[in-house]
Amino acid sequence: QVQLTESGGGFVHTGDSLTLSCVVSGRDFRIDALGWYRQTPGRERELVARITSVGSPTYADFVKGRFTISRDEALNMVYLRMNSLKPEDTGVYHCSAEITHTGLLSSPRSISWGQGTQVTVSS
């Protein structure tokens, strides 16, 4: 079983910054990639950023140049530094972990999700 817990959301003004954090815990797993997704009312959950097991990042176009994803492998944590925030960045941010379950011979893969942290950006 794998659990993800996010923190760091809050209420900020346009142009402010926030750093989101997520810790991955559990047993018998290997993390293949970590990511952040945004859930906005009226829209499907959208990829914000993703980082692979070798540290290669991917960003959605709407955050390029403003957000930075990073990881701490020793602590099983992933971070999202959010700069120059805009009202349209408002939403619930969920972290994700692409997991290989090492406790089974088949080594199945899955995606685990955190429950989300609210980011609200006012004009």
Side-chain angles (χ1 to χ4, degrees):
Q1 295 183 354
V2 177
Q3 292 184 317
L4 283 69
T5 304
E6 305 100 331
S7 62
F11 181 90
V12 297
H13 297 281
T14 297
D16 286 348
S17 297
L18 283 173
T19 298
L20 308 183
S21 301
C22 175
V23 60
V24 184
S25 61
R27 294 186 61 189
D28 299 325
F29 69 93
R30 182 182 70 239
I31 298 174
D32 301 314
L34 296 162
W36 290 95
Y37 289 73
R38 182 180 70 195
Q39 181 70 62
T40 302
R43 295 181 179 271
E44 297 295 322
R45 186 174 295 182
E46 299 175 299
L47 173 69
V48 176
R50 178 177 178 269
I51 187 166
T52 70
S53 61
V54 296
S56 298
T58 300
Y59 297 98
D61 287 342
F62 58 86
V63 305
K64 285 181 178 178
R66 299 189 297 122
F67 293 7
T68 302
I69 188 170
S70 61
R71 61 177 182 164
D72 188 325
E73 292 186 84
L75 298 178
N76 279 349
M77 296 195 70
V78 61
Y79 308 92
L80 185 68
R81 178 62 176 174
M82 310 165 70
N83 293 323
S84 302
L85 283 162
K86 307 173 182 178
E88 52 262 44
D89 295 322
T90 294
V92 178
Y93 284 73
H94 299 262
C95 65
S96 68
E98 300 170 38
I99 300 295
T100 295
H101 300 273
T102 59
L104 299 173
L105 292 177
S106 62
S107 299
R109 301 187 67 212
S110 67
I111 300 177
S112 297
W113 297 92
Q115 68 181 60
T117 185
Q118 176 71 44
V119 173
T120 303
V121 185
S122 66
S123 60

